[in-house]
Amino acid sequence: MFAAAVKRAAELLRAGEVVALPTETVYGLAANALDVHAVAKIFQIKGRPAHNPIIVHVVDIGMAKNCVADWPPLAAALAKSFWPGPLTLVLVLPRAGKIPDNVTAGGATVGVRWPSHPFMQAVIRECGFPLAAPSANLSNQISPTNAEHVRAQIGGKISLIVDGGQSQVGIESTVLDLTSTPPRILRPGMVHAESLAAVCGEVQSQKSKVQSRDAALRSPGLLEKHYSPKAKLVVLDWRDEAELKFKIRNLKFEINKCHIVAHTTIPTGFSAANVSVIPHDAEAFARALYAELHRCDAASAELIVVEAPPESPEWSGIADRLRRAAA
Ligand code: TXA
Ligand code: MG
């Protein structure tokens, strides 16, 4: 089964087609990263703006080196610590490389990642070329963390979706720009600033609500409004149920049109269908979050209230996605 699916996916990719594949972060919409026409199909299917570059997925260090002009010691150290895994390294593009302009949105850099999902790895190995793959959702919607999420959004537009189970990480990779000094986090994720700093020394993180325009232009995923559910989303904290209800009424929503995602102070006076409990653990929370948001959209919730995450580094990627979803 596994081998046959790998073969089928690789056949389509070799033929210049686009396929949805599981990765450990979120599902990706993959195409041959060296084929300009195949990559163009990704933009068309997602409705993605041409100025947003796509991450190139590789399956060993040699393949990563082939995509970049220079492989600095810092990249080697980070790869050793975090690859395969949910970290994308932004590096300088070779002057006359094989990576077409639409992958990098015409920029001078390329984002490279070695994913840990065994299926994704097997497909890249079978193809022998790197795969360009953004998240397999329509532009600006929530990333898919299972095959059904992909089918619901873009199933009609692609010829293969490979079901590799629930994505284990659940939010998109950390994007780290190694062309700035010190390295700069363009998109926080589950590989957080402190883990990176332990390997690179200093890192610049995106802390404040006000992103610099420069950073947003370097990585359009940093734009404030992004990764949004259809319902309005707010991040709140509450001491008790009375305070939660008071806050919801203040927002002028009816309690029964409202869905609560809680991790610590669990409301009990709501309809059980309207409350999701995710353990107070950053990894578990990240893994479950998008599925809850997809579920709220499918149930036509009008307001999604998410219990505020802690401010510790482990939760920074989650806090970032919630802030964008609420923008
Ligand atoms: O976990 C992930 O990264 C998933 C899986 C499929 O690998 N992919 C993903 O891709 O989230 P996408 O396209 O949805 O988000 C990629 C982000 C965007 O914010 C993009 O702007 C940024 O990475 N990016 C890609 N290449 C870049 C580059 N050369 N310079 C700066 N930012 C870049
Ligand atoms: Mg995306």
Side-chain angles (χ1 to χ4, degrees), residues 21-30 42 46 48 51-57 85-91 93 103-105 107-113 115 120 131-137 143-144 169 171-177 179 186-187 215-223 226-227 321 324:
L21 300 176
T23 90
E24 76 280 19
T25 55
V26 301
Y27 275 64
L29 189 60
I42 295 177
K46 282 185 59 98
R48 183 181 180 97
H51 64 262
N52 196 356
I54 300 182
I55 295 169
V56 173
H57 297 72
L87 175 66
T88 295
L89 300 177
V90 172
L91 290 156
L93 191 67
V103 171
T104 61
T109 62
V110 58
V112 186
R113 179 166 105 79
M120 184 72 171
L131 295 180
S135 51
N137 51 281
S143 294
V169 175
I171 65 171
E172 305 83 353
S173 62
T174 304
V175 179
L176 183 69
D177 184 359
T179 70
L186 296 177
R187 180 174 69 183
L217 287 176
R218 279 171 189 238
S219 193
L222 295 176
L223 294 171
H226 207 75
Y227 311 111
R321 298 310 185 279
R324 288 170 209 284

Side-chain angles (χ1 to χ4, degrees), residues 33-327:
L34 310 181
D35 177 346
V36 65
H37 301 293
V39 172
K41 292 179 188 167
I42 295 177
F43 284 90
Q44 200 204 344
I45 292 165
K46 282 185 59 98
R48 183 181 180 97
H51 64 262
N52 196 356
I54 300 182
I55 295 169
V56 173
H57 297 72
V58 299
V59 79
D60 56 46
I61 302 291
M63 210 182 226
K65 286 182 178 169
N66 269 337
C67 297
V68 299
D70 179 39
W71 182 251
L74 208 48
L78 288 161
K80 189 158 187 266
S81 298
F82 301 109
W83 278 4
L87 175 66
T88 295
L89 300 177
V90 172
L91 290 156
V92 178
L93 191 67
R95 229 172 243 283
K98 290 175 284 178
I99 305 217
D101 261 4
N102 55 358
V103 171
T104 61
T109 62
V110 58
V112 186
R113 179 166 105 79
W114 177 354
S116 67
H117 196 291
F119 192 89
M120 184 72 171
Q121 293 186 348
V123 173
I124 303 170
R125 222 171 258 128
E126 174 75 20
C127 287
F129 47 74
L131 295 180
S135 51
N137 51 281
L138 295 171
S139 204
N140 281 332
Q141 297 198 22
I142 304 163
S143 294
T145 53
N146 65 38
E148 170 54 27
H149 296 154
V150 180
R151 193 203 56 74
Q153 281 195 32
I154 57 169
K157 300 181 180 175
I158 53 180
S159 48
L160 181 67
I161 301 171
V162 176
D163 188 340
Q166 161 71 39
S167 297
Q168 287 300 299
V169 175
I171 65 171
E172 305 83 353
S173 62
T174 304
V175 179
L176 183 69
D177 184 359
L178 290 184
T179 70
S180 341
T181 313
R184 169 151 64 161
I185 297 178
L186 296 177
R187 180 174 69 183
M190 296 310 282
V191 175
H192 58 73
E194 286 191 0
S195 308
L196 292 168
V199 177
C200 328
E202 204 185 339
V203 291
Q204 305 174 62
S205 36
Q206 231 74 56
K207 279 209 187 84
S208 69
K209 178 152 105 45
V210 191
Q211 303 278 358
S212 79
R213 196 177 142 67
D214 174 51
L217 287 176
R218 279 171 189 238
S219 193
L222 295 176
L223 294 171
E224 274 305 312
K225 175 87 180 161
H226 207 75
Y227 311 111
S228 309
K230 296 191 191 92
K232 179 182 171 63
L233 185 146
V234 292
V235 176
L236 297 177
D237 42 33
W238 53 88
R239 273 185 310 269
D240 54 31
E241 194 132 340
E243 189 183 27
L244 172 59
K245 286 189 168 157
F246 176 78
K247 287 186 169 176
I248 293 171
R249 286 201 194 93
N250 258 351
L251 290 166
K252 311 256 179 297
F253 282 89
E254 281 174 45
I255 299 286
N256 64 356
K257 296 279 171 58
C258 167
H259 193 100
I260 319 292
V261 180
H263 53 75
T264 300
T265 313
I266 317 297
T268 52
F270 287 73
S271 150
N274 290 4
V275 180
S276 308
V277 180
I278 311 180
H280 182 86
D281 167 82
E283 284 183 14
F285 198 89
R287 191 176 303 131
L289 176 64
Y290 286 171
E292 292 305 332
L293 300 185
H294 282 289
R295 200 159 72 81
C296 290
D297 271 353
S300 310
E302 288 177 6
L303 178 70
I304 304 172
V305 179
V306 182
E307 185 173 8
E311 279 175 14
S312 56
E314 294 77 26
W315 291 78
S316 57
I318 295 163
D320 170 82
R321 298 310 185 279
L322 289 174
R323 188 166 50 67
R324 288 170 209 284

Side-chain angles (χ1 to χ4, degrees), residues 1-17:
M1 262 281 285
F2 185 94
V6 168
K7 219 170 144 236
R8 179 75 190 123
E11 254 165 36
L12 288 166
L13 289 162
R14 263 187 233 111
E17 292 303 318

